């Protein structure tokens, strides 16, 4: 739209990184006897425990299954309310509906873009059973405040950590802080297994439920075993699902986790390049950090101060695309979707709505070169130079 684009090839907003170790790992499973229910599953789960500091981990088919199992383990059922943010992927709220519970949307803080603790407190009722906090962009919310609140009100704290594998809060890695933490290994996330997810907890009781519900609700636990059956014993004790992750995927997860430190470092380097470039641009607002949180960034989002720009967000978005930069929008507030409106939702969360009207996600992934990040920066600056307040003064 502004003449020659800043780059010739299209830069996606997110992308996986697969190397020879990943391929070797997957191929060795394909040549083995167990494609699922084998030793790679346990190995991946043990490695996730190591990385997250959690006592227990159950790998599952995807991040949505992880959230579903988490809500079931928290005993969410009809009549129960669960507090969730509106600015997240739909699955963070859908999981409550799967259990016939009622999601209650709490507004976000306008600076950190995490759920606002004060609004959560306002939305708690005698029916509230859990809070799902989402580590939006890779940054946690006020986990200390949330934990205190959950303890006081006897609520389960579920942390949707689809964005935040490797993030540390108050010296502890994400996965060992909330009652239950869920992860996703979709290809745009920090590590990938194709599709995949995991649930971690430090509670032996919760873990038992999680593991059971992810595997049909069927147990081989000899504690249940009757006198007159032999080794064929198994018994269904709950209505669970087949949410298993395969050994093929777990092998990929293991080799991906070996690269987590370098993935995190590169994401941090690109984040710093963006932060430095955008810090003094008055047309843009950046996310403020959560105290005590050292994030591994999954998304880099800028907010367009549209009152200082002579364009709409759509025009800015389209202009970035024309520059061959794959910008994206995370997220449209869930409570405004047609499906949720039909359920009676729709009254807007003010800060969430304002955020959505301004937010634009820039490319951020391990494989990005410095030159790619520079292209993104140049494209943003070019468009601001065209539409920005300085252009008219
Ligand atoms: C990706 C994502 C999910 C869902 O994970 P899937 O593996 O795609 O099912 C849930 N919550 C958030 C915040 C996500 O970004």
């Amino acid at each position: 739209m502004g003449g020659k684009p800043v780059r010739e090839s299209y830069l996606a907003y997110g992308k996986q990184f697969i190397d020879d170790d990943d391929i070797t790992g997957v191929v060795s499973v394909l040549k083995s006897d167990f494609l699922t229910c084998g030793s790679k599953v346990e190995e991946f789960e043990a490695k996730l425990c190591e990385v997250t500091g959690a006592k227990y981990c159950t790998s599952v088919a995807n991040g949505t299954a992880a959230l579903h199992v988490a809500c079931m383990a928290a005993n969410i059922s009809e009549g129960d309310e669960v507090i969730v943010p509106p600015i997240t992927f739909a699955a963070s709220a859908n999981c409550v509906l799967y259990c016939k519970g009622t999601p209650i949307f709490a507004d976000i803080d306008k600076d950190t873009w995490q759920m606002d603790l004060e609004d959560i407190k306002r939305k708690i009722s005698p029916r509230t059973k859990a809070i799902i906090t989402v580590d939006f962009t890779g940054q946690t919310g006020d986990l200390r405040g949330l934990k205190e609140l959950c303890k006081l009100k006897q609520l389960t704290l579920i942390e949707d950590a689809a964005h935040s594998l490797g993030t540390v809060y108050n010296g502890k890695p994400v996965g060992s802080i909330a009652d239950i933490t869920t992860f996703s290994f979709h290809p745009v996330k920090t590590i990938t297994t194709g599709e995949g997810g995991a649930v971690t907890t430090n509670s032996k009781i919760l873990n038992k439920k999680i593991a059971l519900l992810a595997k049909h609700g069927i147990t081989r636990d000899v504690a249940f075993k009757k006198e007159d059956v032999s080794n064929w014993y198994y018994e269904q004790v709950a209505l669970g699902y087949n949410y298993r992750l395969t050994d093929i995927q777990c092998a990929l997860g293991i080799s991906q986790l070996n690269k987590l430190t370098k993935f995190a470092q590169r994401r941090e380097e690109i984040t710093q390049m963006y932060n430095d470039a955008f810090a003094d641009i008055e047309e843009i607002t950046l996310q403020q950090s959560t105290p005590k949180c050292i994030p591994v960034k999954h998304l880099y989002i800028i907010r367009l101060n549209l009152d200082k720009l002579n364009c709409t967000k759509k025009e800015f978005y389209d202009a970035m695309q024309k520059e061959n930069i794959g910008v994206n929008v995370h997220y449209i507030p869930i409570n405004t979707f047609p499906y949720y409106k039909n359920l009676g939702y729709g009254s807007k969360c003010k800060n969430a709505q304002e955020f959505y009207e301004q937010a634009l996600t820039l490319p951020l992934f391990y494989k990005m070169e410095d030159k790619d990040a520079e292209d993104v920066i140049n494209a943003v600056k070019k468009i601001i130079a065209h539409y920005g307040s300085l252009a008219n003064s």
Side-chain angles (χ1 to χ4, degrees):
M1 285 161 107
K4 191 174 180 295
V6 295
R7 57 183 286 134
E8 272 173 20
S9 62
Y10 187 74
L11 180 68
Y13 95 91
K15 204 192 221 169
Q16 72 275 16
F17 174 78
I18 301 290
D19 65 8
D20 286 344
D21 274 351
D22 295 316
I23 293 165
T24 308
V26 170
V27 169
S28 76
V29 172
L30 290 173
K31 289 178 175 168
S32 77
D33 286 338
F34 291 95
L35 300 187
T36 190
C37 302
S39 63
K40 289 294 161 191
V41 176
E42 279 166 39
E43 196 181 325
F44 182 46
E45 289 171 348
K47 227 174 155 59
L48 278 168
C49 282
E50 231 173 79
V51 168
T52 61
K55 282 194 186 142
Y56 309 100
C57 173
T58 303
S59 58
V60 291
N62 53 65
T64 305
L67 283 161
H68 184 193
V69 165
C71 284
M72 283 192 287
N75 290 328
I76 306 304
S77 61
E78 197 160 356
D80 294 334
E81 294 179 354
V82 179
I83 298 188
V84 299
I87 298 293
T88 177
F89 183 60
S92 314
N94 288 345
C95 57
V96 179
L97 296 178
Y98 297 157
C99 295
K100 302 194 163 62
T102 307
I104 301 289
F105 294 94
D107 205 355
I108 60 169
D109 176 81
K110 62 179 179 35
D111 299 320
T112 63
W113 314 342
Q114 316 287 347
M115 258 193 304
D116 173 18
L117 200 59
E118 294 313 307
D119 201 44
I120 293 176
K121 286 178 187 165
R122 278 191 288 274
K123 304 250 157 102
I124 286 180
S125 84
R127 291 171 166 232
T128 310
K129 201 144 185 189
I131 297 174
I132 299 178
T133 179
V134 178
D135 298 340
F136 183 52
T137 74
Q139 181 174 316
T140 71
D142 174 5
L143 289 177
R144 184 202 265 188
L146 285 164
K147 278 184 79 142
E148 273 171 16
L149 182 63
C150 285
K151 198 171 173 195
L152 184 73
K153 302 278 180 183
Q154 293 189 302
L155 311 174
T156 304
L157 182 62
I158 298 171
E159 186 173 355
D160 179 346
H163 295 186
S164 61
L165 181 66
T167 291
V168 173
Y169 176 83
N170 202 14
K172 273 188 169 182
V174 160
S176 58
I177 303 166
D179 295 312
I180 306 173
T181 306
T182 66
F183 295 94
S184 163
F185 310 125
H186 180 278
V188 298
K189 308 290 159 78
T190 302
I191 69 156
T192 189
T193 60
E195 296 279 359
V199 190
T200 62
T201 181
N202 283 334
S203 153
K204 196 173 176 179
I205 296 166
L206 284 173
N207 178 61
K208 224 172 162 178
K209 280 183 168 176
I210 291 162
L212 188 73
L213 291 163
K215 290 159 201 157
H216 305 280
I218 287 175
T219 180
R220 285 177 185 278
D221 188 341
V222 285
F224 291 94
K225 190 165 143 181
K226 296 177 186 64
E227 295 290 327
D228 57 347
V229 292
S230 187
N231 286 339
W232 70 74
Y233 168 78
Y234 69 88
E235 206 160 52
Q236 186 183 339
V237 294
L239 184 61
Y241 294 79
N242 180 356
Y243 279 164
R244 285 188 302 252
L245 196 62
T246 66
D247 283 64
I248 307 167
Q249 292 164 301
C250 287
L252 182 53
I254 291 162
S255 54
Q256 287 271 301
L257 269 182
N258 288 338
K259 295 185 274 283
L260 179 60
T261 308
K262 93 178 179 183
F263 284 171
Q265 265 167 15
R266 185 62 190 149
R267 282 177 176 272
E268 177 58 21
E269 283 165 15
I270 298 161
T271 298
Q272 281 310 324
M273 282 179 76
Y274 284 158
N275 282 345
D276 292 346
F278 301 139
D280 298 324
I281 299 184
E282 59 174 347
E283 288 86 355
I284 287 176
T285 301
L286 304 178
Q287 185 176 23
Q288 278 185 19
S289 33
T290 299
K292 301 197 198 77
C293 178
I294 305 167
V296 173
K297 275 275 186 186
H298 164 56
L299 298 175
Y300 194 95
I301 296 175
I302 57 172
R303 279 179 81 153
L304 303 173
N305 299 325
L306 293 169
D307 53 343
K308 297 195 171 80
L309 289 160
N310 287 317
C311 66
T312 61
K313 168 162 149 174
K314 184 187 175 301
E315 284 167 330
F316 202 105
Y317 174 98
D318 290 343
M320 288 293 285
Q321 294 285 351
K322 283 281 191 314
E323 298 294 341
N324 277 325
I325 307 294
V327 284
N328 214 310
V329 173
H330 295 92
Y331 292 94
I332 299 171
I334 300 174
N335 54 326
T336 65
F337 284 144
Y339 184 82
Y340 276 82
K341 277 190 179 161
N342 286 337
L343 293 177
Y345 291 90
S347 75
K348 287 176 178 150
C349 292
K350 188 173 157 284
N351 293 342
Q353 198 60 31
E354 236 171 67
F355 173 83
Y356 162 61
E357 282 159 15
Q358 302 174 336
L360 205 61
T361 306
L362 304 182
L364 175 60
F365 54 95
Y366 172 73
K367 256 176 122 174
M368 274 176 76
E369 305 282 340
D370 283 1
K371 175 72 173 67
D372 296 325
E374 282 159 16
D375 287 344
V376 176
I377 292 164
N378 288 336
V380 169
K381 286 186 171 170
K382 181 178 172 185
I383 295 163
I384 287 177
H386 183 72
Y387 288 123
S389 49
L390 296 174
N392 314 299
S393 56

